[in-house]
Amino acid sequence: MDRVSTDVAIVGAGPAGLAAAIALAAAGAATTVIGKPASDNRTTALLASSVTALDTLGVWKNCRAAAAPMRSLRIVDATRRLWRAPEVRFDCAEVGLDAFGWNIENRCLVDALLRRANEMANIAFCEANALDLETGNREIVVLLRGGGKISAKLAVGADGRHSMCRAVAGIATDKRQYPQIALTFNLAHSRPHRDVSTEFHTEHGPFTLVPLLGDRSSLVWVTEPGEADRIEALDDAALAFEIERQAHSILGKMVLEPGRGRFPLAIETAQKFSGNRIVLVGEAAHTLPPIGAQGFNLGLRDVATVAELVAEALRDGADIGGAPVTETYDRQRRADTTTRTLAVDLLNRTLLSDFLPVQAARGLGLYLLDRIGPLRRAVMREGVAPAASTPRLMRGEQI
C-alpha cells in the first residue's frame, strides 16, 4: 500500500472503532478502519438507549440472540459498617421498559459489529497498525507500520486508554488512580439469575453479577490489590467457592469458565476531546471504572455525536475535519462525560470512605431511592437515557 485517501480514518478496531465506522458510513462518509479487531473474555452491558442506537445502525439483529436481558437491578449493602444502606431493587417495568439493557460477551459484540461493517460498501479495512499521524491544514495522514499511508479529512481516535491519537493531538488528561483492582470472570451457576443483576457493595468496592444467557453470569469483583493477589492465586475450584461465598449463594454452586481479567482502577479524562483534525471516542477520551455500566455506553454516545456532526457537514458541503465540527464535538460531549465521571467517582469513593457522615449520606440516598417512587423512576430513566446527551441514534432516528 502506498497512499490511500478516505473521508475518515478510524484508528483502532475494537468495539468503539467498529461502531464509529458503521455510524460514519451510515452518515455518508467513506471510512477506513485501521488495526486488527480484538476482543477479550469481558462482557459489555448495553443500556437500552445503546441498543436502540445499534438497532438503528443494523447491528442489533446480529447480536440479539447472544445477549441476556437485565430486567432488574438489585443493590445489596454487604459492608460490615455501622451505617448500612437498605437493599434497593429497580425493575424495568416501572419505567415502561422491557429491559434496562442487555449483557453480551465482547467476542459476540465484536463479531456482530464486524458482520454489519462488512455489509457496508463505504467501509474499508487496513489491518496494519498505525505508526504515527501527521496533521495538516487540509488533511491528516496516518503512517502505517510496514509502510504505506492513509490520508483523511478526519481521524477518529478509538485506540484506547494509551491513545497515540490523543498524544499526537497534544491533549493532556486528568487522572485519578484508585487503590483498587477489578477482577473479571464469566461463570456458570446452579440457580437461575432470572434476569436480575445483583451488585453487592463492600468496603473495597462493588461485587457485581450480571446475567448472561442461560444459567451464566459475568462478574466484576472490585477489591484492594492485596486481596486481588490472593484471589488470583486460587485455583478454579477454590475461586468458584470463594465467589459463591461472596455472593451469599444466591446463584448456588459456581463453575468458572476459562479466562480471567485484571484491571487497575482509574478515572482518566482527556482535557479536550478533539484537536488537529482528530476526535477522540471511547477510552481514548475517557476511562471509567467498571461501575454502573458506563464505559462502552458513553463511548457509543461519542460515536453517535461525531457521526451526526459529520452528516450535517457533508450535507452542507463543509469540511468534516475542520474546527467547526471538531470543536462542536468537544463541547457537546463535555457535559455528558463530566456528569458520568463525577457520578462514578462519587459512588466509588463513598464505598471506600470510613467517614461516618459519608456512610450515613450514602445510606440515606439509597433509602430515599427505595421509598420515593418518582425519584427512583427519574434515576432509572437518567441511567438508561441520559438527558445531557441524546444524539439521534440513541432516539432511534436515522443520522
Side-chain angles (χ1 to χ4, degrees), residues 1-4 9 11 34 126 128-135 140-152 164 168:
M1 178 186 292
D2 294 321
R3 183 180 178 120
V4 175
V11 181
I34 300 168
C126 172
N129 289 324
L131 178 64
D132 200 359
L133 290 87
E134 296 176 346
T135 60
I140 186 164
V141 178
V142 183
L143 308 181
L144 304 173
R145 292 189 184 277
K149 300 177 180 180
I150 295 176
S151 62
M164 178 184 65
V168 169

Side-chain angles (χ1 to χ4, degrees), residues 60-394:
W60 185 239
K61 64 185 179 183
N62 296 331
C63 52
R64 176 65 184 89
M70 300 177 293
R71 295 196 164 95
S72 295
L73 170 62
R74 180 181 174 216
I75 298 177
V76 180
D77 190 336
T79 66
R80 294 180 292 275
R81 290 169 171 160
L82 177 63
W83 292 98
R84 296 181 62 192
E87 180 177 320
V88 181
R89 183 166 176 144
F90 304 92
D91 291 303
C92 64
E94 193 173 354
V95 287
L97 294 173
D98 182 52
F100 288 124
W102 281 260
N103 195 32
I104 185 170
E105 293 173 77
N106 282 0
R107 60 182 178 83
C108 297
L109 177 60
V110 168
D111 180 66
L113 290 163
L114 277 172
R115 287 168 60 191
R116 178 58 181 141
N118 283 319
E119 294 172 353
M120 304 183 78
N122 53 344
I123 296 180
F125 290 88
C126 172
E127 292 194 346
N129 289 324
L131 178 64
D132 200 359
L133 290 87
E134 296 176 346
T135 60
N137 292 329
R138 296 178 179 274
E139 66 176 8
I140 186 164
V141 178
V142 183
L143 308 181
L144 304 173
R145 292 189 184 277
K149 300 177 180 180
I150 295 176
S151 62
K153 298 171 185 174
L154 175 70
V156 175
D159 49 345
R161 63 186 65 194
H162 304 297
S163 171
M164 178 184 65
C165 292
R166 189 178 65 221
V168 169
I171 299 173
T173 64
D174 296 316
K175 185 173 183 179
R176 177 191 297 276
Q177 194 80 38
Y178 295 107
Q180 295 164 288
I181 300 292
L183 302 175
T184 62
F185 314 94
N186 292 339
L187 44 89
H189 37 77
S190 59
R191 295 176 183 169
H193 49 59
R194 304 188 190 282
D195 303 333
V196 178
S197 178
T198 303
E199 187 170 288
F200 293 93
H201 288 180
T202 78
E203 293 89 341
H204 304 302
F207 173 98
T208 307
L209 289 158
V210 187
L212 287 171
L213 286 181
D215 292 335
R216 301 170 61 238
S217 293
S218 61
L219 169 64
V220 178
W221 189 346
V222 177
T223 189
E224 61 183 358
E227 179 67 359
D229 293 340
R230 183 191 70 82
I231 293 167
E232 283 194 299
L234 299 174
D235 63 28
D236 282 1
L239 178 54
F241 180 79
E242 185 79 0
I243 292 171
E244 180 184 345
R245 184 186 66 81
Q246 188 75 18
H248 301 271
S249 297
I250 61 168
L251 296 177
K253 181 179 174 58
M254 304 284 191
V255 178
L256 249 70
E257 297 180 355
R260 303 184 184 189
R262 177 187 174 116
F263 307 92
L265 252 65
I267 281 182
E268 187 171 13
T269 307
Q271 293 178 357
K272 289 182 61 181
F273 297 146
S274 65
N276 297 324
R277 293 189 173 270
I278 296 170
V279 297
L280 306 177
V281 302
E283 290 192 342
H286 39 69
T287 301
L288 296 176
I291 297 172
Q294 294 304 313
F296 180 69
N297 294 284
L298 194 60
L300 197 54
R301 293 198 291 278
D302 297 339
V303 164
T305 300
V306 71
E308 194 171 305
L309 292 171
V310 165
E312 291 173 0
L314 287 172
R315 285 193 291 268
D316 295 341
D319 182 356
I320 64 173
V325 171
T326 59
E327 291 175 3
T328 300
Y329 172 77
D330 177 59
R331 288 195 303 271
Q332 291 190 359
R333 293 307 302 141
R334 183 63 52 187
D336 185 23
T337 302
T338 300
T339 301
R340 298 291 140 170
T341 299
L342 289 174
V344 169
D345 182 51
L346 180 62
L347 174 60
N348 195 40
R349 290 170 69 180
T350 58
L351 284 177
L352 297 177
S353 178
D354 289 323
F355 190 44
L356 283 177
V358 172
Q359 296 173 20
R362 176 178 158 272
L364 175 62
L366 287 172
Y367 173 80
L368 293 175
L369 285 175
D370 184 50
R371 294 292 177 173
I372 303 176
L375 175 63
R376 183 175 61 255
R377 289 187 285 275
V379 168
M380 285 190 281
R381 291 190 186 98
E382 176 64 19
V384 171
S389 180
T390 52
R392 293 192 185 104
L393 283 175
M394 321 310 282

